[in-house]
Amino acid sequence: GVRASPADDWADVTGFTQSVGLGAGALPQEYAETHKLKFRESSLRRKGLRPEDLAVFYGEGDSMQPRIREGDAIMFDTADRRPRHGRLYVISREGEISVKRCELAGDLVLFRADNAAGDHSWQQPRRMDDPVSPITIEGKVVWIAGWED
């Protein structure tokens, strides 16, 4: 059964009103902090995560379907910015924040949409080191929550 956990086992993770683009990306506003989400401290520790490094944004758009849908909560670890093949990251590009999947090809680091048809500006993977529009990794996606159909 479900057992109650001690009150001191809960950690606060900051949630923001800011939505993170699953398509073209949302322009970062002032990141108005709206709420705290409660997570088991022991659960975070087991995953090697520290509450102060975590943030939650909410998805907007459909370029990352079916893995992430509009309105899903997306937690990312700002302390983990090392690109790894196949992992999801919150990235910024030209002032827009979005979620994309990392692909490593030799010494190239690329980011792509899972559903390229969902976003005309991400039809092709983009290079992290693009001289015109470089990509910055803001953190690795570590948790996604959304409704089941």
Side-chain angles (χ1 to χ4, degrees):
V2 177
R3 286 179 302 156
S5 64
D8 61 359
D9 189 38
W10 293 94
D12 286 336
V13 173
T14 305
F16 293 91
T17 48
Q18 173 70 30
S19 54
V20 60
L22 304 174
L27 286 171
Q29 285 130 9
E30 66 292 343
Y31 296 144
E33 185 179 316
T34 52
H35 53 282
K36 299 283 188 195
L37 289 91
K38 299 276 187 196
F39 284 84
R40 297 276 300 273
E41 191 122 32
S42 54
S43 165
L44 295 176
R45 209 171 25 251
R46 202 167 41 248
K47 291 299 232 171
L49 301 171
R50 299 177 339 163
E52 60 271 23
D53 295 333
L54 303 173
V56 173
F57 285 165
Y58 295 88
E60 181 176 74
D62 62 2
S63 81
M64 294 306 290
Q65 283 186 7
R67 182 61 190 100
I68 308 176
R69 299 178 187 279
E70 179 128 7
D72 284 359
I74 302 160
M75 183 196 297
F76 62 104
D77 180 4
T78 61
D80 189 348
R81 297 171 188 235
R82 186 168 60 86
R84 288 196 287 288
H85 187 74
R87 300 305 302 257
L88 295 172
Y89 293 88
V90 171
I91 60 168
S92 56
R93 178 181 164 270
E94 295 181 343
E96 293 185 335
I97 303 282
S98 59
V99 174
K100 294 292 176 271
R101 192 170 299 280
C102 179
E103 283 185 352
L104 302 179
D107 54 2
L108 272 184
V109 179
L110 305 164
F111 287 92
R112 68 171 173 80
D114 281 2
N115 172 25
D119 181 3
H120 66 262
S121 66
W122 282 88
Q123 301 264 306
Q124 300 292 323
R126 295 182 176 277
R127 291 173 60 141
M128 184 169 169
D129 65 356
D130 183 293
V132 178
S133 303
I135 291 171
T136 302
I137 295 175
E138 302 297 339
K140 186 179 82 174
V141 174
V142 294
W143 178 85
I144 301 164
W147 297 107
E148 289 293 322
D149 287 339

